[in-house]
Amino acid sequence: MGRPPVSPILCIDRDTAHDHELLHLHSHPEPMLTWSSTATLMGTVAHRDWLIPPGHGLWVPGGIAHSGAVLHAGEMVTITFAADGCPLDWTEPTCFTVGPLLREIITHLHHIAPGDDTRPAAEALMFKLLTPLPAHHIHVTMPADPRAREIAEQLIAHPADQRELTAWADHAHTSVRTLSRLFRAGTGLSFATWRTQVRIRAAIPLLAGGTSVNTTARAVGYRKPSAFIAAFRRVTGQTPGTYVPAAGGEAAPHSPTAPPRTLNASRHASS
């Protein structure tokens, strides 16, 4: 009998991410992917900030320095791969979505033994289902100024927050004019436009998970579904219904336009 194939997966770690946990800047030769099932994470990779909302993940190639922060507590999974022999050939940080089928396969791989007979087929299907998304689906530019960044992080964690710029300026103990300038200088967008993009990106995993358009609109801060639909079309070029999975199908959105605790680094490098 031949020897079983060697798995490219070194380990799969499931963990609970707590609010305001940090992963300090580090690197390792092994590539890894981080998938958020219910948490909202922010990864900084290759001098860019990457939003990882529930239902999405981020691939980090080996050897690239990265850090991270938890914006909203929840469950997450980190898969670490062998430095050589991984079927994924993505050479840059890459975003992807995790639909119901891919989620179940990852859960299955986490529970079975390394020598389980079903592992080769499950791994092959997992790699086939890992499909890169254009960066703009996930990437949200974060302002560098600490006053604006703290507000940005709160809005990413709680996109339904209705406070306008005046209230946020009071919160940051600064003027509306200064805060507006900080957002424009740090993100290239006005505060209102930036918040709209954050809300729409928060809506995508809800829609992909089967949440209705009306419920999703309320969950990300829109009182009127019509306003949500109009904003969604401006940001993605599609209607929200495009992202709702067909009955019985895998959610696969496609849009052509569209003092803190410290995270245990060992669970991210064996994000």
Side-chain angles (χ1 to χ4, degrees):
M1 295 179 63
R3 298 176 63 182
V6 177
S7 171
I9 297 176
L10 297 180
C11 62
I12 300 177
D13 294 318
R14 300 178 70 94
D15 209 342
T16 299
H18 300 280
D19 281 330
H20 310 303
E21 282 189 283
L22 299 176
L23 176 66
H24 295 303
L25 187 68
H26 70 289
S27 65
H28 40 79
E30 301 85 5
M32 50 155 275
L33 64 81
T34 297
W35 161 51
S36 169
S37 52
T38 59
T40 300
L41 311 172
M42 178 68 72
T44 300
V45 188
H47 308 292
R48 289 183 61 184
D49 293 314
W50 304 78
L51 175 65
I52 311 173
H56 288 76
L58 178 66
W59 162 266
V60 179
I64 296 182
H66 55 281
S67 60
V70 179
L71 304 183
H72 189 70
E75 301 301 313
M76 57 179 286
V77 173
T78 300
I79 305 179
T80 304
F81 300 91
D84 298 317
C86 180
L88 291 177
D89 58 358
W90 303 342
T91 59
E92 301 292 335
T94 303
C95 301
F96 56 91
T97 55
V98 178
L101 178 56
L102 183 54
R103 181 179 65 239
E104 291 303 319
I105 291 171
I106 293 173
T107 300
H108 174 71
L109 288 169
H110 177 252
H111 287 131
I112 63 175
D116 191 284
D117 291 343
T118 65
R119 178 171 287 277
E123 288 183 359
L125 185 54
M126 181 191 74
F127 288 120
K128 186 175 182 64
L129 291 172
L130 283 168
T131 304
L133 288 174
H136 64 263
H137 277 262
I138 301 296
H139 177 61
V140 173
T141 301
M142 297 291 286
D145 183 273
R147 293 166 292 180
R149 189 179 183 98
E150 191 262 341
I151 293 168
E153 290 179 349
Q154 289 199 43
L155 286 169
I156 287 172
H158 306 286
D161 195 314
Q162 295 291 333
R163 281 177 285 182
E164 297 296 339
L165 200 58
T166 300
W168 283 116
D170 289 340
H171 174 83
H173 306 292
T174 188
S175 69
V176 171
R177 182 177 180 180
T178 295
L179 190 58
S180 177
R181 176 179 56 79
L182 292 174
F183 262 90
R184 177 75 69 176
T187 71
L189 303 172
S190 69
F191 170 80
T193 301
W194 184 91
R195 184 176 62 178
T196 296
Q197 292 196 341
V198 167
R199 286 177 167 180
I200 298 309
R201 280 155 179 73
I204 288 173
L206 296 177
L207 296 167
T211 304
S212 71
V213 172
N214 287 356
T215 300
T216 298
R218 292 192 297 272
V220 299
Y222 288 90
R223 295 187 177 93
K224 295 182 179 180
S226 59
F228 169 64
I229 293 170
F232 199 98
R233 186 186 290 275
R234 286 198 305 271
V235 172
T236 69
Q238 304 286 345
T239 64
T242 305
Y243 287 73
V244 177
E250 174 90 359
H254 295 282
S255 171
T257 62
R261 265 180 67 179
T262 300
L263 286 169
N264 180 0
S266 64
R267 81 187 186 202
H268 297 270
S270 276
S271 124

